[in-house]
Amino acid sequence: DTGVSQNPRHKITKRGQNVTFRCDPISEHNRLYWYRQTLGQGPEFLTYFQNEAQLEKSRLLSDRFSAERPKGSFSTLEIQRTEQGDSAMYLCASSSDYPTGELFFGEGSRLTVL
Amino acid sequence: AQSVTQLGSHVSVSEGALVLLRCNYSSSVPPYLFWYVQYPNQGLQLLLKYTSAATLVKGINGFEAEFKKSETSFHLTKPSAHMRDAAEYFCAVSDLGGGGNKLTFGTGTQLKVEL
């Protein structure tokens, strides 16, 4: 168990560019979550996967955001045509199917849009 | 919808003093509640969780929390603060309505520990 891994840890981009973040969950976890955290705020839910199926999306996830988990293992979060308001820490977490199972978080990917 | 409210965005204590971080929840069903800690530029680490067993929950690093249904509270405490406890603390409630184990977080409390 190597924990949840996220790459890249930091990304600086210019407005209008596309960026992609990758998350590798704990191997035996079927559930994977993406959250966004801005300075001074708690994490906000973006989306959730059960295996490869994306079961829930927050209204925070605009059309410029897309997440995939093609084989039920790693996941990617892509942001197209980035805006300055997209600057945030993007956190990935995974959990087991057990109802009271806690979420295990990665260290996050910090995005800065200039 | 379930939610949590953390009272006090910043709390400052002296080393060795009691730590009390407040969290109140709103839920239409018996909640599962969590406390996480976040150190600068890192992800969140679970401190403890309440899942309808014992109302007094002990966690890592000497922290504990008590579930009080009558007060809809789940406050986090530690008898004696250490410098290493300085971090941001988040209370969260689990969505039992089909969102997997999705958590809804509070806005966080920044704990400062002074000598």
Side-chain angles (χ1 to χ4, degrees), chain A residues 81-101:
Chain A
R81 305 181 304 282
T82 52
E83 302 173 356
Q84 288 186 326
D86 298 331
S87 295
M89 175 79 86
Y90 291 87
L91 295 165
C92 177
S94 67
S95 77
S96 67
D97 291 346
Y98 191 62
T100 60

Side-chain angles (χ1 to χ4, degrees), chain A residues 99-101, chain B residues 31-34 49-54 57:
Chain A
T100 60
Chain B
Y32 293 162
L33 295 161
F34 302 77
K49 65 180 181 181
Y50 167 76
T51 57
S52 73
V57 181

Side-chain angles (χ1 to χ4, degrees), chain A residues 21-71:
Chain A
F21 300 113
R22 175 180 170 125
C23 172
D24 288 89
I26 292 172
S27 57
E28 61 266 31
H29 285 175
N30 292 331
R31 295 177 176 175
L32 186 146
Y33 313 77
W34 284 98
Y35 282 79
R36 182 176 70 184
Q37 185 179 23
T38 53
L39 196 62
Q41 297 298 314
E44 297 173 294
F45 172 77
L46 292 178
T47 190
Y48 147 65
F49 290 85
Q50 173 78 39
N51 299 312
E52 67 275 10
Q54 188 174 18
L55 296 186
E56 186 174 347
K57 292 195 294 186
S58 163
R59 62 178 184 272
L60 292 175
L61 213 65
S62 75
D63 291 345
R64 297 184 297 104
F65 288 70
S66 63
E68 295 182 341
R69 195 181 183 197
K71 297 183 179 180

Side-chain angles (χ1 to χ4, degrees), chain B residues 68-98:
Chain B
K68 292 187 176 180
K69 184 178 179 181
S70 60
E71 299 178 7
T72 62
S73 70
F74 189 58
H75 302 331
L76 182 70
T77 61
K78 182 174 180 178
S80 176
H82 293 272
M83 296 295 292
R84 62 177 176 267
D85 295 327
E88 188 148 26
Y89 292 80
F90 293 96
C91 182
V93 60
S94 180
D95 183 349
L96 303 178

Side-chain angles (χ1 to χ4, degrees), chain A residues 31 33 35 56 101-103, chain B residues 36 38 49 101-103:
Chain A
R31 295 177 176 175
Y33 313 77
Y35 282 79
E56 186 174 347
E102 65 265 29
L103 271 61
Chain B
Y36 280 82
Q38 186 177 34
K49 65 180 181 181
N101 297 349
K102 181 182 75 175
L103 297 180

